[in-house]
Amino acid sequence: MAEHVILFTGPMGAGKTTAIEKLSEIDVVRTEAANTERQVADKATTTVALDYGEIVLDDQDKVRLYGIPGQRRFDFMWTILKERAKGMVLLVHNDADDPIGRAVEYLDEFADLYAKGGVVIGITRIDIAPGPSVTDYAAALAVAHPDKIVPIYTVDPRQRDQMRTLLMTLVANIETRDMFVERVPQREELVAE
Amino acid sequence: MSIPAHLDPQVKEHAARVLAGMREFAASMIYAAVLTDDGFEVADYSDGRTDASRMASMSSSVQALSDAVARELRIGTAEYVIIASDQGHVLQRRVPGQPLVLAALFDTYETLGKAIAVSKMGAQRMAHSPASEPGPAPAPTAVPEPAPADPAPIVAAVPPRDETTPRSIYAPPVSASGW
């Protein structure tokens, strides 16, 4: 059975904990604390270390799901967690201040996860307030990261099927890339030949 | 909605007094902080070499992870957390009844027992933190319940207070540092 470690990233209030709760087949390990930044995200609690869940996809891929705290002051947890991860689900809530800027910021921060495996973006709360369209996100990412191909979806983190689609897209992306890397001779091998 | 502790000047002042009192009690205390559950620094006692904001965030994560482990193992509530190293030990615990954490670093000359005791007393002292009200209190609609009695002082022998001297409700009962 293949194992994947996937990081759920994105700003506070994007729905990372909810998504992991919906996806996980085990009781989720949560590290919630009373939220004193109600002006940033109007919710009672916030993740301060990590969320952890697990899911098995198609009886063959065990996926370990880690959620990060969204606030930058916890970026030491970002460093710890991204060392273990091979891919990233980036969730951004469309009613955030400058959601496209936030998406680019997180993609910059976790760029090495794109290199290691893959990234997929889920835009949440798209029904809450008018905001940028998926096309707007795609255009901005094409400018900021012209070398990266990142699938973008609109999702509701409360909907397990939608989150599962997002996750399977990412896992398929990672596995395809793994196969490609295995098949393509490395530079050193070519030189030796 | 009440003012978050890290933005409340009265709570910050009280926290600073509690930490100063801990330092008086244990000269081995190198660094200490009171922080909100979600990692904002309320007050700190520092040697100037510690990034208090960053430590507040890290202590918040450590506390939450410790609670998660205790929950997972079904061993009740984590009372305190110790990080022991060859150059000092960090001890942190929740402030009873408040969404706050008290974390302190002691050098290795301190016994762990005393560090535990000092942090416990500090947390108990912090538990009686005065919170500012965000605005004028609403007019009472019924006869208010009598206020609960002051908690027992941490220091057993409390000298009688001079009732002729006006005293702020936030003034410490024992010493200038609140101990």
Side-chain angles (χ1 to χ4, degrees), chain A residues 17 21 28-34 45-52 67-69 71 74 77 81, chain B residues 37-38 60-69 71 94:
Chain A
T17 301
E21 286 272 5
V28 171
V29 176
R30 299 176 62 158
T31 57
E32 299 274 298
T45 61
T46 186
T47 300
V48 294
L50 55 82
D51 297 315
Y52 175 73
I68 65 159
Q71 303 92 323
F74 294 109
M77 289 302 307
L81 293 172
Chain B
D37 257 7
D38 61 343
S60 164
S61 297
V62 166
Q63 189 68 44
L65 282 168
S66 308
D67 291 346
V69 170
R71 243 187 345 260
R94 287 196 180 282

Side-chain angles (χ1 to χ4, degrees), chain B residues 22-95:
Chain B
M22 287 173 63
R23 169 68 182 181
E24 276 182 18
F25 204 74
S28 58
M29 192 181 84
I30 300 164
Y31 165 81
V34 174
L35 51 125
T36 63
D37 257 7
D38 61 343
F40 285 105
E41 170 204 355
V42 177
D44 74 290
Y45 175 88
S46 173
D47 55 2
R49 291 179 300 170
T50 307
D51 181 341
S53 297
R54 189 157 179 82
M55 279 310 301
S57 300
M58 296 186 105
S59 296
S60 164
S61 297
V62 166
Q63 189 68 44
L65 282 168
S66 308
D67 291 346
V69 170
R71 243 187 345 260
E72 190 72 19
L73 296 174
R74 297 184 178 87
I75 55 172
T77 308
E79 189 180 347
Y80 53 81
V81 182
I82 296 172
I83 301 170
S85 76
D86 56 354
Q87 293 186 39
H89 28 259
V90 177
L91 207 142
Q92 68 176 65
R93 59 170 74 236
R94 287 196 180 282
V95 173

